[in-house]
Amino acid sequence: MARLFFALWPDQQVRTEIQSFASKLSLDTARLVASRNTHITLAFLGNVDEETRDALIKGANQICIKPFSLTLDRLGWWKKPKIAWLAPTDYPPELPKLASELARLAKSCGVSLDERPYRPHLTLVRKLAQPLVDCHVSPIFWNIKEFCLVESNSTEEGVEYQV
């Protein structure tokens, strides 16, 4: 079994801009998400067997996306998971359409997904007890041409994501 999700995976330039912004935050005991793990989840699939993974890959290869751009310009915080995130204030219809297509694919392969509405965000900080205040976000522009399937692996050093 592999723990999988579909994601938008930033190129090195976008990753560097995100890391530069994150490194300026005052975090106390909170932890930055490792730059190599930065992404926006499109559909979290959970633990998937090899046969289902192969069906997901085959189906995902049939999905064509029209290139689009995101502007990460909003910093937020969710109390329950104690995370700070970056997100676009506005996003093109291609983004929720892609997430919806991937959700349909997952369901057709027998994978049950979270039923909450899709809220695109990039997790920036974990274990953050309080929201970050007085943080100006300089917009980070991200051109997107593709999505990927990612495997989440737990290691002694923490979680590592492999495209």
Side-chain angles (χ1 to χ4, degrees):
M1 294 282 240
R3 189 171 168 91
L4 302 175
F5 58 93
F6 285 111
L8 299 177
W9 203 255
D11 62 28
Q12 192 54 52
Q13 178 184 338
V14 171
R15 196 172 295 281
T16 299
E17 289 181 52
I18 292 165
Q19 193 63 28
S20 175
F21 170 73
S23 68
K24 296 173 188 164
L25 301 173
S26 176
L27 299 177
D28 294 323
T29 60
R31 297 179 301 157
L32 285 176
V33 170
S35 178
R36 69 182 180 276
N37 287 344
T38 301
H39 69 279
I40 292 180
T41 300
L42 294 165
F44 179 75
L45 306 166
N47 291 321
V48 173
D49 62 39
E50 191 174 336
E51 182 179 335
T52 304
R53 183 200 66 210
D54 292 346
L56 288 163
I57 291 170
K58 183 178 180 182
N61 284 333
Q62 303 304 310
I63 296 174
C64 295
I65 69 167
K66 178 180 168 188
F68 61 93
S69 297
L70 292 178
T71 302
L72 301 175
D73 59 354
R74 188 168 56 120
L75 180 65
W77 177 73
W78 288 322
K79 183 177 182 176
K80 179 77 170 161
K82 294 183 179 179
I83 65 167
W85 45 263
L86 278 174
T89 299
D90 298 302
Y91 47 85
E94 289 85 2
L95 178 57
K97 180 181 179 217
L98 175 58
S100 180
E101 286 184 53
L102 291 168
R104 275 194 297 279
L105 169 62
K107 289 176 186 175
S108 75
C109 292
V111 177
S112 52
L113 302 177
D114 187 339
E115 294 297 324
R116 290 179 289 185
Y118 180 66
R119 292 177 26 179
H121 67 282
L122 184 147
T123 301
L124 196 61
V125 180
R126 295 190 182 282
K127 298 185 179 182
L128 185 66
Q130 301 176 51
L132 297 166
V133 292
D134 299 328
C135 295
H136 171 73
V137 180
S138 293
I140 298 170
F141 302 100
W142 182 359
N143 293 315
I144 296 160
K145 299 175 189 151
E146 60 188 7
F147 64 94
C148 59
L149 182 63
V150 181
E151 182 174 355
S152 174
N153 297 302
S154 295
T155 69
E156 288 180 13
E157 293 81 35
V159 176
E160 289 184 3
Y161 298 144
Q162 181 178 352
V163 174

